[in-house]
Amino acid sequence: MLKRYYQTVHYVDEAVGQMVNELKAKDMWDETLVIFYGDHDSGLTNEGSEMQQKAQIDNAVDAFALDRQVPLFIKKPNQDTGEIIQENGGQIDIAPTIVDLLNLESPYMMGNSLLDDEPNLTAFCDGSFRYKDYYYEANLKEKAGNGICYVLTEKKVEMKFCRSQVKDVRERLQLSDKITDQNALKQ
C-alpha cells in the first residue's frame, strides 16, 4: 500500500510539473494564481501501519503531525521568490487567505487568513484541533472536552490549556454542519 502511495505522489508531482511548464510555455505563469493543497487522512498513518512504522511514530503528537500536516502551495501572479509560512490552518482558511492575498473584500467568510499575525484555530471533524503550540485529541467515546491536550513537545498538559478552544471548535463544527445539512447559507 505504501509503495502505491509513493507511486501516486510521483505521478502527481510529474503532473504538476507538466502544468507549470505548460503555463510558462503559454506565457500565463506570471499572471496566474496557483494553489495546490494536499489532502490528509490517507489511512496510511493508522496505528500499526507500514508508514507509521517507517516514520517511527510512537506518540500522539507525531501521529498528528504525520497525518494532519499537509502542504499548501500558493504562487501569486508576478511572484519571483517565496517564503515558508509555518502558521497552521485548515481547508476552511484557504479562501480567506486568497481574499487577503488579492486585497479583496469579503463581507462574511468562515475561516481566517493564514497571512495575518493572528494564531489560527484549526478544527478537525472529530473535534480535535491545533491551536498555537497545542494539539487537542478528541475522545469520541466521551463527552466533548474530555480528550487529551498536548503541547507539541509530545507532553500531555492540563486541559486548561485547551478548554476554551474545545468550546470554539464545537461551535464551529455545529455551524459547519448546519450550513451543510440545512443549506443554511440560503436562508
Side-chain angles (χ1 to χ4, degrees), residues 23-109:
L23 285 170
K24 288 179 178 180
K26 293 180 178 181
D27 290 326
M28 296 173 62
W29 178 251
D30 290 332
E31 297 85 36
T32 303
L33 173 65
V34 179
I35 301 169
F36 293 109
Y37 174 73
D39 201 1
H40 56 80
D41 197 14
S42 63
L44 293 171
T45 59
N46 293 341
E47 191 171 330
S49 69
E50 185 181 1
M51 182 177 275
Q52 192 177 47
Q53 291 170 6
K54 287 197 180 292
Q56 298 178 341
I57 302 300
D58 61 359
N59 62 71
V61 175
D62 287 345
F64 166 79
L66 181 63
D67 194 37
R68 307 252 177 143
Q69 291 184 340
V70 296
L72 171 62
F73 170 89
I74 300 175
K75 188 221 58 94
K76 301 185 295 187
N78 301 310
Q79 181 177 348
D80 294 324
T81 62
E83 65 180 299
I84 295 174
I85 298 173
Q86 295 293 337
E87 183 58 54
N88 65 285
Q91 190 171 8
I92 197 168
D93 300 313
I94 295 174
T97 302
I98 294 168
V99 167
D100 188 16
L101 192 68
L102 299 177
N103 296 317
L104 301 173
E105 293 293 322
S106 177
Y108 177 79
M109 188 167 287

Side-chain angles (χ1 to χ4, degrees), residues 148-186:
I148 301 171
C149 185
Y150 297 92
V151 69
L152 292 181
T153 58
E154 304 168 17
K155 178 183 170 192
K156 289 182 187 178
V157 294
E158 295 177 40
M159 271 302 297
K160 68 180 181 182
F161 295 105
C162 292
R163 191 156 323 279
S164 65
Q165 287 78 33
V166 169
K167 182 180 181 224
D168 194 10
V169 165
R170 186 172 52 243
E171 290 170 358
R172 288 178 187 207
L173 291 174
Q174 288 170 343
L175 177 60
S176 176
D177 287 345
K178 186 174 184 177
I179 289 170
T180 303
D181 297 341
Q182 300 173 12
N183 199 11
L185 290 180
K186 243 181 156 178

